[in-house]
Amino acid sequence: MSSSRARAVLPRRPRKRFGQHFLTDPAVVERIFGALRCQPTDRILEIGPGTGLLTERLCREAGTVTAIEVDRDLAAGLHARLPALRVVCDDVLATDLGAYLDADGALRVVGNLPYNVATPLLGRLFDVIDRISDAHVMLQAEVADRLAALPGTKSYGRLSVTAQYHCRIERLFDVEATSFTPAPKVRSGFVRLRARECEPCDTTALATVLRAAFGQRRKTLGNALKSFALDWQVLALDAGARAENLHVEDFVAIANAVAARRSG
């Protein structure tokens, strides 16, 4: 698709309240589809199709495509242009993503996630990641950094641990701001998420532990998690370490200890 055609479908004024930054760079589209490797049997759920630059090609290359778009005008335009597309005009944060899943876990998720809802939306994806084939999402580069961050790095935090508990994360490539209209003030990153098998964990307890551990990063674990009365020797962890130095498996062990103590 030529860049002129891509720009021709832009609405007169993107709506700031929806965090709209429309992808208009055909070269980036090629890189995305090189990563997706769509098959004629694929079932796609696209989050935030916007002007439909990705959507048009998804409809050509995949089997079925459902798009969730909060902007009524954009949703109506997509419905008119792409008869085979199923368009759901709704706020994805209020949508039951489970309603789009099937027993074989074959659904694939694709999305250019609005910056203003990316983190909570990722949380929704984590909840269903073990029931889908994969998710390919465009994010603010900083968020992509946090998803894939390693222990001991500045970007490593609550989101890193939560994401890496649920997913295998591949940082595929970065995208310059000039590839979007209007251009955001930051770069973006394109990321692949797939379900990760790991030790069962009480995810409510994990979220509680992560909030406390990373709430004041300079505190030692012993101080940050003091209220949980943990036995650090049994956990085989150093109470003098800081949260940023622990691995995902360490936090899982802490969360399960907290859950066991509460249930006991």
Side-chain angles (χ1 to χ4, degrees), residues 57-72:
R57 186 156 168 182
L58 286 169
C59 287
R60 293 198 304 269
E61 296 189 10
T64 61
V65 183
T66 299
I68 302 176
E69 174 55 60
V70 68
D71 188 314
R72 289 186 211 174

Side-chain angles (χ1 to χ4, degrees), residues 21-58:
H21 296 279
F22 302 118
L23 180 63
T24 54
D25 188 340
V28 175
V29 173
E30 290 302 320
R31 294 193 73 181
I32 288 173
F33 277 86
L36 285 174
R37 297 182 181 177
C38 280
Q39 302 298 316
T41 55
D42 283 346
R43 292 181 55 245
I44 304 288
L45 176 65
E46 186 182 11
I47 296 172
T51 60
L53 184 58
L54 294 179
T55 318
E56 288 188 11
R57 186 156 168 182
L58 286 169

Side-chain angles (χ1 to χ4, degrees), residues 132-153:
I132 65 176
S133 176
D134 54 31
H136 289 77
V137 293
M138 187 82 73
L139 303 157
Q140 185 175 348
E142 179 185 353
V143 176
D145 288 341
R146 289 162 57 199
L147 287 178
L150 298 175
T153 62

Side-chain angles (χ1 to χ4, degrees), residues 43 97-107 128-133:
R43 292 181 55 245
L97 295 181
Y100 299 96
L101 306 181
D102 53 28
D104 62 10
L107 185 71
V128 299
I129 197 70
D130 60 339
R131 292 184 284 161
I132 65 176
S133 176

Side-chain angles (χ1 to χ4, degrees), residues 204-214 225 228 230 251 254-255 258:
T204 300
L206 179 61
T208 301
V209 166
L210 293 176
R211 278 195 299 272
F214 286 100
L225 304 181
F228 298 117
L230 296 163
F251 282 110
I254 294 172
V258 168

